[in-house]
Amino acid sequence: EIVLAESGGGLVQPGGSLKLSCATSGFTFANYAMTWLRQSPGKGLEWVSTVDDEGVSTFYTDSVKGRFTISRDNAKNTLYLQLNFLKTEDTAVYFCAKPRMVHKVTMSSNRYEYQYLGQGTLVTVSS
């Protein structure tokens, strides 16, 4: 059984920081590029960031560049997203996502590009 379990969300003031984690099991984590998506209230899924399977190449949507950092620990089968300088518009449920194909870097907001999403973790940025 494939499991993606996000954690680390919470309530934070504008300008604050959080670190999200996604613990995985049931597949060979090191063979897959991994992605963070988010969904804000009343909006659709938005692609946020992707890291390749080795953790060398990283990709970000423009609105989070310079503020968010994606990383992974293949020994621990865990994906991370460091969120800094948070803004109210970052409020969303954040999901980690596993693509369908090994080694393929997927940077899409389309749910069907991903084989699995976790249950999500809520990040609320508010004063």
Side-chain angles (χ1 to χ4, degrees):
E1 179 189 10
I2 291 177
V3 175
L4 305 173
E6 301 94 338
S7 60
L11 174 63
V12 63
Q13 292 185 339
S17 297
L18 284 173
K19 187 171 185 177
L20 308 183
S21 299
C22 174
T24 75
S25 61
F27 65 103
T28 306
F29 180 74
N31 284 351
Y32 291 86
M34 294 294 292
T35 291
W36 286 99
L37 305 167
R38 67 184 179 185
Q39 187 166 20
S40 302
K43 297 185 178 180
L45 273 178
E46 177 188 19
W47 172 73
V48 176
S49 182
T50 298
V51 60
D52 71 355
D53 49 1
E54 296 180 336
V56 173
S57 297
T58 57
F59 309 88
Y60 301 93
T61 192
D62 286 346
S63 63
V64 309
K65 283 181 182 176
R67 300 190 299 120
F68 291 7
T69 303
I70 190 171
S71 61
R72 63 191 296 157
D73 186 334
N74 285 350
K76 296 182 177 180
N77 297 328
T78 301
L79 177 71
Y80 303 100
L81 188 67
Q82 177 70 45
L83 289 65
N84 296 329
F85 306 108
L86 281 160
K87 304 176 181 180
T88 54
E89 52 263 43
D90 295 318
T91 294
V93 178
Y94 285 72
F95 302 91
C96 63
K98 173 190 174 295
R100 298 182 183 278
M101 295 178 61
V102 294
H103 309 305
K104 181 181 179 183
V105 173
T106 302
M107 297 183 288
S108 171
S109 299
N110 185 344
R111 165 65 180 90
Y112 297 101
E113 295 284 341
Y114 304 95
Q115 184 180 20
Y116 289 97
L117 267 64
Q119 82 288 348
T121 186
L122 176 62
V123 172
T124 303
V125 185
S126 175
S127 55

